[in-house]
Every structure is written in C-alpha cells, then in structure tokens.
Amino acid sequence: PGLVQTAKEGGIDVIETYVFWNGHELSPDNYYFGGRFDLVKFVKIVQQAGMYLILRIGPFVAAEWNFGGVPVWLHYVPGTVFRTDNEPFKHYMQKFMTFIVNLMKQEKLFASQGGPIILAQVENEYGDTERFYGDGGKPYAMWAARMALSQNIGVPWIMCQQYDAPDPVINTCNSFYCDQFTPNSPNKPKIWTENWPGWFKTFGARDPHRPPEDVAYSVARFFQKGGSLQNYYMYHGGTNFGRTSGGPFITTSYDYDAPIDEYGLPRLPKWAHLKELHRAIKLCEHALLNSEPTLVNLGPLQEVDVYEEPSGACAAFISNMDDKNDTVIEFRNMSYHLPAWSVSILPDCKNVVFNTAKVASQTSKIEMVPNKDFKGLQWEVFVEKAGISGEADFVRNGLVDHINTTKDTTDYLWYTTSIHVDENEEFLKKGAQSMLVVESKGHALHAFVNQKLQTSASGNGSVSPFRFRTPISLKAGNNEIALLSMTVGLQNAGPLYEWVGAGLASVQIEGFNNGPKDLSTHAWTYKIGLEGEHLGLYKADGLNSVKWISTSEPPKEQPLTWYKVVVDAPAGHEPIGLDMIHMGKGLAWLNGEEIGRYWPRKSSKDDECVQQCDYRGKFSPNKCSTGCGEPTQRWYHVPRSWFKPSGNILVIFEEKGGDPTKIRLSKRKTSGVCAFVSEDYPSWSESLPNDEIGDYKSNAAVQLKCPIDTRISTVKFASLGTPKGSCGSYSTGDCHDPSSTSVVEKVCLNKTECTIELTEESFSKGLCAGTPKRLAVEVVCS
C-alpha cells in the first residue's frame, strides 16, 4: 500500500502490472495466489487508493523474468512450442487466461463491473517476433486477440508492439520515445505501455541511468502529439527475490533507475520532477480532451502544438528538439527561452508552468549506512562435498543439457567423472601442469579436481556461452573431475527462447604424452541440486537436518559452504540491504525467505562511465552509465517485514569463497538534500487552483525537505549568484552573494522542511546584473 500511495502522490492515476503465469500455476491445475502472488489483494490495494489498474495478463510477459513468465513445465508437455500456432501452447494459455479473467470477474474488479481494471493485455511485444515463427506467427497473434475478446470483460484489450492488432484490440507502443507512434487505426487511442525511465542491470555490467530531464521530455512530447495514456516501465521495479530474475544474468535488483527506487523511496529529483510534469499536463486536460491540435513550426527544430477550444480555453506545448542549442522563439507576441531538448507547457497558451529541462525539485543524497558488523557472532557452518554426495541421480555417457535435466528446480547441476593418470606422464615429472579446457552453453561453472576448486568461469548478459582453458593439478592414479554448472536465470524473451540450453558442451584435458583427452563422451555421473538444498538447510524445519559446526571464527575463502547466523534487525524504519561485497557468489535467505542470488561481480574498468550525464539528445541504455570497475550489485534488499523482533536466522550458501564476518546489514538513509533553481525557472503556487493560471507567477524557490524524524542540521553549501557543479560538488561562480549561507540558515536550520524564494528582499539587490540569478543549496539531514 505504501508504494501505491507514493505513486499516487507522484501524480500517477493508474498502476500497471503483469500477471506471472509461472508464479501462479506451479504445475498443471496447481494454482497459487498466496504471499507476494496475491493478485486479488494487489488489485484491491490499488482500488482502495482510488486508482485504476491495467492488467497485463500476457501470459508471456518477458519482464527480465525467469522464462518470460511462462512455466518451465509447459516446455516439457509433448509437442509444445511457445508463442506460435501450436495447439498444446494455445490450450494451456487460454486455460490460464480464462482462469485469471474469471478470478477478476468473481471479485467484480473490471471497470465494467465497477472495479478498477480499465484495460487488459493479451500477449506482449510479439510484433517484432512474429516473422520468426513463419506460417505460425500471424495466425497465433490473431487467435490470441480473438481468444481475449471472447472473454467479454467489458473493457478494451491491448497488445503492445503488435503492429497488426485486429480491431477492436488496441496496439500500443513500448520505447524510450513514442511521440511519433501512430496506432494502426484512427479509431484507436494513442497508448504508450512502456516508457523506460532507466534500464535493467546484468551481473558484471555497468549501472545504467536515464536523466529526469529526458524522461520528462519524452512524456511531454507524447502528450503534445496527441497521446492518451503513458505508463512508466518501471515506476517501481523492486527486487527479483528468490530465483525469479531471468535474462540470464539479470541482477536480483530490478531498480531500473525508477522514480521509486528498489527500496521504496522516492528517487529525487526524478520522482518530484515527474510529479510536477504530471500536474502541468493535467492543467491542460480540458483543452487536450476537447480540441484537435494545430501545429505551428517556429524554426528548423522548434514547434508548438496548440489545443484551442471554441470557448477560448487553450493549452500549448512548445518543443525545442535541438539536442545542443538553446533558443528564443516568438509565440503569440511573447518571447520564450527554450533550453535544448526541452518542452515548455503553457496551460493557458501564455504562462510557462513547466519546462522539462529545468529541474527545480530537490536531489536526495542516499547512503547505505552499515549496521554493526557480524564479528563476534556465533556462526554455524556446513561444508558440502565437491561432486556427488549421497545417491547420484543418474549416470550417462556424454554431456547432458543443464536445463532439460534440472527443469529449473535449482540453479545447480553436478557433472562428475574420473580420469586415470599414468605415473609416466611428463607433466607429473617436470612440474608442468595439465590444462582443463571446457566449453559451456552457459551460464557459469566452478571446476573442482580432487575436491579442490581450480577455477570459476561464466558468460555474461550479452553472451551466455563461454570457453576457458586453465591449468589444473592432477596426481598419478585416479583423479575426480567435478564440474558444478549453474544457471543464472533462464532466457526471458526472443524467438524460440525456450529451446536455448545451458550446461557443458565439451570437456578436454591437455598435456598428456599421447595428446589431449576428450572427456565429452566419458561416463558422467549427475546430481541435480546441492546437498544443502535437498536437506532444506534454509528452511526452519531443515535447519537441524545436518550436523552444523559451531564456531566464532567461520572459515574464509571456503567453497561450497553454508553459513548460518542469528542476527538482529537494524533499529529504525529505514529500508535494509545486505552488503555482500566481501562474498563470492551464491544464495541468501532470511527466516526461510529467499533474498535471492548474490554476486558482487565487477564491471570492467575499461567501460565508458560518466561523472555527469548530458540529458540532451536521444537516450540509449549505454548513454549514462556509472559504476565502472565496481560491483554491479553490492547490496541485496531485505524487506523489514521479513524480520522478527529477535532470533532472525540468516543462511548463506557461498559457492566459491568469501569472508562472512564482513557481511553487513546496511540501512538506506537520506543523509542530505540539494536543490538548484534559477530565476527563469517556471514556478507557480501549490495553492493555485488547476484552472486558474491567469497571470499568476510566483517567485522561483528552492524547497528542501528532510526524511521523517530528521531536521536540517547543517548548511554545507549555499550560493546565490552563478554557482556551478552538481549535488555534492557545488562551487561558487564569478558572481556570489556572501550572505547566501546566513540567509539559508535563518530560513532552514533545525527545520524538517523549508522554502527559500529568490527575492531581492532576501538577498543582495542588483546581484549578477544581466544574467538570471541561480541558487544552489546543500544541507545535511540528521
């Protein structure tokens, strides 16, 4: 409910959600709607907030979610091919969709029944994939549309990126920009189902960001060009708990640089800048709904769309599409300054109440503050044997596909074999080493020889398969080769994605007197999953199923180790992240709830990262990256609701080795806030009625607000004049009012929030003559 409320405060009217088939139908006819998968409860939370809902049933969703949301068991129903004119797939898809529709109807949740659901989606982003399915593609898409319409839900159906969606199904747009999108019929509204305000992350890659100025520009352009509905994907991305992330290699975090961050906090200034944008667009609502636009070209890359009613009501959107140069234009006998790559919104065709490039809202400085460390705690440890423990699942000559073998019941599959080394081999005498050469379809692997970890290797988010060649230590006589293959989330999209495999493709050992030995056709012994998984070591009822070793000094850099420790929840109410920077790769649970995969894998230092992003010009996922040479994900969100007052059991499975004493529970805190505003920024009073803009113009102002239970304790920086830099690195410019700090202290010190207007009364008169004065402020909240 808190997340939905934060969205509503941000000016959002509708919540859009997928329905995850693999989360709801665990096996044929075995349905689950408990816990985080309580769909009816979620829809009712949205309804109770007075908001609408778009239900994207799919049931294929993509979403960087494991197997695109389709149950893995369906792949193993004989004769099934996903997302084409295939009878088994269509049978199970229709059955699930009908089940969901009937569930919504029973609870009277469609708008036609007085409920909040105003639109429903069938299929997802199929238009670009359709041609790959040949003769089965288009008939399947048309069948899906007909099947959906036959459900009689009383609200429209949508198909995103479906260029041939048949009437009356509405085709919609997914992109960073959709202002130039046109529906495939003039009778259909222009709907943008996914505006991407950031991008997802993959383990070992950079951290992508999209500037708030560009997101706002894309939205304003869309409504300028006749848009009806725009949805942010994601407005809050949240966390891929457990093994739900797909990709493969998608991180546990699905933060998406979204307006509400992974931990549920408004991301400032993005959240607040978009809130002001939404308000400005809603000021134009009457004119947008009751008139057709008139386009006026004002220059080679400048244009205005005017919405004017016979009654005289008028709204205008003025765009400067130049991605480098500001400009000044004349419109209706008035002069307007347009920053590069920006849209100005004039709800009365006269006063600019919002410009997409002028971010006046505050920026939050967020820190992950470590709680007390894990030293001195009593640990319990269980070390797995490398290879087969207990009964093997089967023995087979040759290498099997990982996914077809595990059917995604676990990330892990052991491949083990043995090799005899004659004592006359040269590499035993000369101190040389033999070489293990492995080719894998993906995704990751740990190689053990005689119980010792030799190397770890993996693909990445761009290319899952990998090959490696590494020296290994063999002895005379029998040697056990144990290869632990791992998936890191299954494919989530693409043509025929369900047929993409994983696991070993070939294994060789080089260095023998008679040439390389190919083990690929050897007899291999297989075991699905880890011993600790089979014993349920992470569950309350499985914690005592093995003999744990109790110690205050847990082993470090020890592969295949389960760690168990009792921890207290950090005091306070701030969100919590588990800091795993000193661990290798594995899984984590708290009180039996699976936090998910952790892997503080670093991105390349050679990648291109930015200190400050230039929002001007078309955005792409690689444009504004940070975190080069840093772990893609260091902290792993642990919801406070998972903690008990005391006796919380944290269980970690570490695959390759780390230092568990350096694990931390960290609190996500706002340590300070910044704001930057100029005299020429649009501003209007919060108390001004939506339909009374008139000639009202308030002074530009800086508004600062600290989190609950904190106050402004220090003014770190304040400058009225021509300050430079960004939050955390402001500096004074050529023109500076020396009284700036004292003025801000007088208004703000020891307050939770404050507003500083740029008025002559507050600051020195006649300052910076000839240029708009700017005010930059940074304060500490404590």
Side-chain angles (χ1 to χ4, degrees), residues 139-158:
Y140 164 70
M142 298 305 107
W143 168 84
R146 288 193 307 274
M147 182 268 288
L149 291 169
S150 72
Q151 302 281 345
N152 295 317
I153 59 176
V155 302
W157 285 92
I158 58 174

Side-chain angles (χ1 to χ4, degrees), residues 217-285:
Y217 172 83
S218 71
V219 177
R221 282 284 299 165
F222 178 71
F223 285 104
Q224 174 176 351
K225 294 299 178 185
S228 294
L229 179 151
Q230 180 268 165
N231 173 71
Y232 297 100
Y233 184 101
M234 305 292 295
Y235 194 77
H236 166 70
T239 309
N240 293 309
F241 294 117
R243 299 169 53 251
T244 53
S245 64
F249 295 97
I250 301 296
T251 54
T252 309
S253 168
Y254 201 58
D255 181 89
Y256 225 95
D257 201 37
I260 303 174
D261 74 15
E262 179 184 0
Y263 294 83
L265 302 178
R267 172 170 273 112
L268 299 173
K270 187 175 278 188
W271 178 88
H273 189 53
L274 295 175
K275 176 183 178 178
E276 291 301 310
L277 166 69
H278 304 153
R279 185 172 176 221
I281 291 168
K282 286 172 184 177
L283 288 171
C284 307
E285 183 176 7

Side-chain angles (χ1 to χ4, degrees), residues 500-562:
V500 176
L504 302 184
S506 79
V507 180
Q508 284 191 336
I509 298 180
E510 297 175 351
F512 288 94
N513 296 349
N514 295 330
K517 288 203 175 184
D518 188 350
L519 306 184
S520 305
T521 56
H522 266 218
W524 288 83
T525 304
Y526 291 93
K527 182 77 175 180
I528 297 168
L530 305 164
E531 184 182 3
E533 287 181 303
H534 292 293
L535 295 168
L537 296 189
Y538 49 89
K539 300 176 188 169
D541 58 357
L543 287 170
N544 300 316
S545 58
V546 297
K547 187 164 178 54
W548 295 82
I549 296 168
S550 187
T551 176
S552 57
E553 286 291 326
K556 297 167 187 174
E557 305 308 323
Q558 171 78 52
L560 304 180
T561 303
W562 293 81

Side-chain angles (χ1 to χ4, degrees), residues 316-517:
F317 293 75
I318 308 176
S319 291
N320 180 12
M321 295 167 283
D322 191 320
D323 60 10
K324 294 180 180 63
N325 303 303
D326 293 10
T327 190
V328 175
I329 60 97
E330 295 288 324
F331 172 63
R332 296 201 170 186
N333 300 318
M334 290 182 69
S335 183
Y336 296 90
H337 173 260
L338 300 177
W341 202 252
S342 77
V343 180
S344 288
I345 299 176
L346 294 67
D348 58 356
C349 287
K350 185 174 173 184
N351 289 291
V352 176
V353 299
F354 185 86
N355 177 273
T356 59
K358 295 181 175 180
V359 181
S361 45
Q362 74 178 36
T363 297
S364 290
K365 291 185 72 180
I366 303 286
E367 291 181 62
M368 297 299 284
V369 180
N371 202 38
K372 62 186 181 193
D373 60 36
F374 281 22
K375 286 179 179 162
L377 296 178
Q378 194 63 23
W379 293 82
E380 292 184 75
V381 177
F382 171 70
V383 181
E384 294 221 357
K385 176 178 178 285
I388 308 296
S389 53
E391 289 284 315
D393 285 317
F394 60 94
V395 179
R396 186 160 302 163
N397 289 335
L399 303 168
V400 301
D401 181 79
H402 181 131
I403 300 168
N404 286 343
T405 306
T406 65
K407 295 185 170 53
D408 199 41
T409 54
T410 170
D411 281 357
Y412 302 99
L413 177 64
W414 281 107
Y415 294 69
T416 69
T417 193
S418 61
I419 181 171
H420 184 80
V421 176
D422 190 274
E423 59 189 15
N424 294 321
E425 292 293 344
E426 289 294 313
F427 63 76
L428 292 177
K429 299 175 184 175
K430 295 183 177 175
Q433 285 185 300
S434 49
M435 306 294 289
L436 176 67
V437 184
V438 172
E439 289 186 31
S440 172
K441 293 178 283 184
H443 306 147
L445 182 86
H446 302 304
F448 296 83
V449 175
N450 299 324
Q451 299 290 306
K452 288 194 169 60
L453 179 63
Q454 306 291 305
T455 192
S456 300
S458 67
N460 57 49
S462 303
V463 183
S464 297
F466 60 94
R467 181 183 187 275
F468 69 87
R469 185 172 180 271
T470 187
I472 56 171
S473 299
L474 294 174
K475 62 184 184 184
N478 267 351
N479 293 264
E480 185 189 62
I481 312 292
L483 305 176
L484 180 59
S485 174
M486 292 156 288
T487 49
V488 190
L490 303 191
Q491 290 288 135
N492 68 82
L496 299 166
Y497 74 88
E498 75 270 27
W499 301 94
V500 176
L504 302 184
S506 79
V507 180
Q508 284 191 336
I509 298 180
E510 297 175 351
F512 288 94
N513 296 349
N514 295 330
K517 288 203 175 184

Side-chain angles (χ1 to χ4, degrees), residues 21-49:
W21 188 1
N22 58 5
H24 292 302
E25 194 172 4
L26 307 181
S27 57
D29 297 316
N30 173 24
Y31 293 103
Y32 177 70
F33 290 89
R36 293 196 303 278
F37 289 92
D38 192 339
L39 180 61
V40 169
K41 182 178 179 181
F42 182 76
V43 178
K44 288 183 175 178
I45 286 169
V46 173
Q47 184 177 31
Q48 286 154 12

Side-chain angles (χ1 to χ4, degrees), residues 704 712-719 740-746 748-750 776-780:
L704 303 171
I712 296 169
S713 57
T714 309
V715 178
K716 277 187 80 173
F717 180 90
S719 175
S740 301
T741 300
S742 59
V743 169
V744 174
E745 286 177 341
K746 185 177 176 183
C748 296
L749 220 50
N750 298 317
V777 179
E778 180 180 347
V779 301
V780 175

